[in-house]
């Protein structure tokens, strides 16, 4: 009898997984990927794009689950932008208003096309680039019926909505657990401070996104993301080495 009950529970869980196709059924462990060469040496590259903030800014949204609120599962993606830039650069979309997009089919990455705009499109696909960035901030949930399943930041040459482990197009990916952030259960916040400084990168386009997966027991909750003014994003075009005589 016990075996029959266990089998029924297993079949119920499996059918729920197939029906919803939500990321909570595909848990992701800690992800810590950093690819590229060493940090860029002084004088070895030309700064071609830089965005930054002079003050903190906040994205505040209502996370809504349209179905049965007994167990809501959803993900949102933030196309991260800073507020200011040093100069106008063709193909650089790393300045302006950060955009937030909801998704119910996280593994499928069914985000609208306007939310999948690269932060930079390279005019020279043969060039080598270096990237320096810092993402510092805090994510807060206001209610106690929802939890953060996982959250991760990603820098990639392709739009990758699911945490990778071996994709060569992903240059940086941090998340999954507390290897990159501090969780305060009393305040219900994740505080993070991510840095990346790598050279010898090749790409035709570049994406810098933050993905957050939530699970909850009511229809909606308020989500607040603060980006600190110390955050910045820099792209360098590396100088060609002189030919050996």
């Amino acid at each position: 009898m016990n075996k029959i009950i266990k089998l029924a529970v297993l079949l119920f869980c499996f059918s729920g997984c197939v029906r919803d196709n939500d990321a909570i059924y595909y848990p992701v462990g800690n992800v810590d990927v950093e690819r590229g060469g060493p940090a860029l040496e002084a004088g070895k590259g030309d700064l071609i794009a830089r965005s930054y903030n002079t003050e903190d800014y906040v994205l505040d949204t209502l996370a809504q689950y349209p179905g049965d609120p007994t167990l809501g599962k959803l993900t949102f993606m933030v196309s991260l932008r800073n507020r200011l830039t040093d100069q106008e650069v063709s193909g650089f979309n790393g300045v302006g208003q950060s955009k937030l997009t909801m998704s119910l089919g996280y593994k499928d990455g069914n985000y609208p096309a306007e939310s999948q705009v690269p932060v930079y499109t390279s005019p020279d696909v043969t060039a080598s680039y270096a990237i320096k960035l810092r993402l510092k901030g805090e994510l807060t949930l206001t209610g106690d019926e929802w939890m953060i399943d996982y959250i991760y930041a990603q820098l990639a040459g392709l739009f990758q909505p699911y945490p990778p482990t071996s994709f060569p197009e992903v240059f940086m990916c941090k998340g999954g657990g507390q290897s990159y952030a501090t969780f305060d259960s009393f305040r219900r916040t994740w505080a993070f401070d991510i840095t990346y400084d790598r050279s010898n990168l090749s790409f035709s386009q570049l994406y810098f996104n933050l993905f957050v997966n939530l699970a909850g027991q009511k229809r909606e909750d308020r989500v607040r993301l603060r980006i600190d003014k110390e955050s910045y994003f820099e792209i360098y075009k590396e100088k060609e080495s002189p030919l050996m005589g």
Side-chain angles (χ1 to χ4, degrees), residues 16-234:
C17 173
V18 172
R19 181 192 66 225
D20 293 337
N21 194 27
D22 285 332
I24 191 172
Y25 296 113
Y26 302 90
V28 179
N30 289 340
V31 179
D32 191 355
V33 174
E34 286 195 2
R35 293 194 178 94
L40 182 66
E41 297 182 32
K44 297 292 186 180
D46 295 320
L47 178 65
I48 58 175
R50 176 176 184 261
S51 61
Y52 60 97
N53 306 294
T54 56
E55 58 185 20
D56 299 352
Y57 72 90
V58 173
L59 296 176
D60 196 352
T61 188
L62 192 65
Q64 294 181 310
Y65 186 74
D68 183 358
T70 302
L71 181 61
K73 302 167 290 292
L74 59 85
T75 300
F76 63 84
M77 180 201 90
V78 183
S79 298
L80 291 164
R81 306 285 185 263
N82 291 315
R83 293 300 176 89
L84 302 171
T85 186
D86 287 326
Q87 59 184 357
E88 294 295 326
V89 178
S90 176
F92 182 59
N93 300 307
V95 63
Q97 179 69 40
S98 293
K99 297 179 181 179
L100 184 145
T101 305
M102 292 289 177
S103 173
L104 291 177
Y106 180 89
K107 194 174 184 184
D108 294 335
N110 60 339
Y111 301 98
E114 58 267 26
S115 299
Q116 301 184 38
V117 177
V119 67
Y120 181 63
T121 302
S122 170
D124 183 1
V125 296
T126 64
S128 291
Y129 294 92
I131 304 295
K132 297 183 180 182
L133 66 85
R134 184 180 186 187
L135 176 61
K136 182 180 180 183
E138 185 178 77
L139 179 75
T140 304
L141 300 180
T142 59
D144 57 4
E145 290 89 355
W146 282 74
M147 61 172 284
I148 299 173
D149 188 20
Y150 52 83
I151 171 176
Y152 70 95
Q154 185 184 111
L155 177 75
L158 296 175
F159 184 75
Q160 300 281 7
Y162 197 68
T165 57
S166 59
F167 296 163
E169 299 87 359
V170 175
F171 306 124
M172 182 207 77
C173 188
K174 290 185 179 292
Q178 297 191 26
S179 60
Y180 76 109
T182 302
F183 179 63
D184 186 332
S185 58
F186 179 75
R187 295 177 59 229
R188 299 185 57 73
T189 62
W190 280 72
F192 49 87
D193 191 351
I194 297 171
T195 59
Y196 181 81
D197 187 351
R198 295 274 173 160
S199 63
N200 195 27
L201 301 175
S202 297
F203 50 82
S204 59
Q205 55 187 9
L206 194 66
Y207 294 86
F208 184 33
N209 296 319
L210 186 75
F211 297 88
V212 181
N213 196 58
L214 302 178
Q217 295 184 341
K218 67 174 184 177
R219 195 174 298 278
E220 61 186 33
D221 194 14
R222 179 68 64 180
V223 179
R224 182 178 183 271
L225 174 66
R226 190 194 78 240
I227 303 296
D228 286 13
K229 62 183 179 182
E230 292 135 285
S231 302
Y232 64 88
F233 188 88
E234 296 178 344

